[in-house]
Amino acid sequence: MSIDEVPRVPLADGRSIPQLGLGVYKVSDDEAEASVSTALGAGYRHVDTAAYYGNERGVGRALAACGLDRNDYFVTTKVWNDQHGYDSTLRSFDESLDKLGLDEVDLYLIHWPAPKQDLYVETYRALEALRAQGRARSIGVSNFQVHHLDRLLAETDIVPVINQIEVHPLLQQRELRAYGDAHAIVTEAWSPLGRGKVLAHPALVAMAEKYGVSTAQLVIRWHLQLGLVVIPKSVTPSRIAENFDVFGFELADDDLDTIASLDSGERVGSHPDKVD
Ligand code: NAD
């Protein structure tokens, strides 16, 4: 698998993002360093971390050692809920850059809207300033519901290029995906494998067997064919490679229809209106 085979999804600000990346949630600094190094060696060029994950230093060590040009890999990080507000977001961004050992991140996201604090508009203003400085090349949000996006679009200047939300076959997020399509906001799927829980679903297991792929590969392929950006997590080298080997087969329309019918609205993560 060569990097040229990973499609890039265009963003509304003129940039683009590799459609498949590595997630590093619940991974220590040392594990992040190892898994990012493995992933870059396997051809991944996109890493998704966050201040909250506590592993930006480990990610940064792997990037520093990888020998790639800065423009050949894409790094996302996020501001955590306890740093909302204009000044604290700017401070948190500086800390993230310092830990990552980078001058710029490719994508900076508000991790959750944290609606009780009611500071996400102010927080987003800080992201707009960081983008104007060029230190955040692109800016976006995560876990925003339609009503949060409506308000952000009404009260700020730059439409977020991405909304990173929980998406997997049991939670397909049709309303938010349609909203994204209508406003040129790319949908990025977190917990794309439902934290591993969807991998035992009998219909998916049977379908994967038919294609001669693993259930994880089938589900990642489904995300890609929906046009989503997808960031499966693994720290196991063989799985990191397996999750990247998804460009040599294509799901037929009737199988996409079957997966579409599995949506049960079941979350593996928290509801965005309840996280503060
Ligand atoms: P995921 O859906 O990617 O599942 C990961 C788990 O699936 C692994 O821990 C492993 O148990 C299993 N797995 C992975 N590859 C496998 C394979 N090939 N075969 C069998 N099992 C396999 O879950 P996730 O880590 O929650 O989500 C992915 C990434 O999304 C995170 O690492 C993080 O970067 C991001 N994320 C963002 C938010 C947010 O609020 N923005 C929330 C959760 C996750």
Side-chain angles (χ1 to χ4, degrees):
M1 175 64 45
S2 104
I3 174 182
D4 301 333
E5 288 170 74
V6 179
R8 295 183 75 98
V9 175
L11 302 173
D13 60 8
R15 295 186 173 273
S16 64
I17 180 169
Q19 197 179 0
L20 175 59
L22 179 78
V24 293
Y25 181 38
K26 292 197 174 164
V27 173
S28 69
D29 261 326
D30 285 347
E31 279 179 318
E33 181 178 1
S35 61
V36 171
S37 294
T38 301
L40 293 170
Y44 288 72
R45 294 294 181 265
H46 168 186
V47 180
D48 182 84
T49 184
Y52 179 66
Y53 302 168
N55 57 25
E56 289 168 312
R57 281 190 203 285
V59 170
R61 285 201 294 266
L63 296 173
C66 74
L68 292 165
D69 284 347
R70 175 64 187 88
N71 289 332
D72 288 342
Y73 55 81
F74 189 105
V75 181
T76 300
T77 194
K78 318 182 187 90
V79 57
W80 185 239
N81 304 342
D82 63 0
Q83 299 298 321
H84 277 213
Y86 191 87
D87 291 335
S88 42
T89 296
L90 294 180
R91 270 196 306 275
S92 181
F93 180 80
D94 285 343
E95 281 170 23
S96 286
L97 273 192
D98 181 55
K99 287 178 183 163
L100 286 163
L102 298 176
D103 298 323
E104 298 165 15
V105 293
D106 296 278
L107 180 62
Y108 198 45
L109 302 178
I110 302 181
H111 207 142
W112 295 87
K116 265 199 212 142
Q117 297 185 50
D118 197 21
L119 286 171
Y120 62 83
V121 170
E122 222 176 303
T123 302
Y124 194 75
R125 289 273 180 214
L127 269 60
E128 289 182 321
L130 292 164
R131 207 199 82 162
Q133 294 166 9
R135 294 197 301 151
R137 293 173 171 179
S138 295
I139 56 173
V141 295
S142 178
N143 297 304
F144 274 46
Q145 304 282 90
V146 166
H147 63 102
H148 306 124
L149 290 168
D150 276 341
R151 181 162 165 220
L152 202 67
L153 265 52
E155 296 184 24
T156 63
D157 297 323
I158 302 173
V159 177
V161 294
I162 282 205
N163 188 18
Q164 185 185 112
I165 54 174
E166 180 180 343
V167 187
H168 45 72
L170 301 181
L171 183 74
Q172 300 191 16
Q173 300 273 26
R174 285 191 180 79
E175 188 192 10
L176 271 171
R177 279 162 44 209
Y179 187 100
D181 291 345
H183 293 90
I185 302 169
V186 169
T187 299
E188 177 172 13
W190 64 251
S191 292
L193 307 175
R195 303 216 164 122
K197 282 184 198 153
V198 307
L199 301 180
H201 193 292
L204 296 174
V205 172
M207 198 183 290
E209 254 170 50
K210 190 177 80 175
Y211 284 93
V213 297
S214 71
T215 315
Q217 288 172 318
L218 177 97
V219 172
I220 293 166
R221 183 70 215 172
W222 171 76
H223 286 281
L224 296 174
Q225 285 187 223
L226 288 187
L228 308 180
V229 175
V230 57
I231 45 170
K233 171 214 161 182
S234 179
V235 293
T236 309
S238 59
R239 286 177 172 176
I240 290 173
E242 176 187 320
N243 294 348
F244 194 72
D245 184 14
V246 288
F247 297 98
F249 68 105
E250 195 165 358
L251 304 180
D253 287 345
D254 59 333
D255 289 321
L256 293 174
D257 291 345
T258 301
I259 301 177
S261 73
L262 302 181
D263 191 359
S264 60
E266 200 180 311
R267 290 178 189 274
V268 298
S270 305
H271 192 290
D273 282 330
K274 299 195 177 126
V275 175
D276 270 278

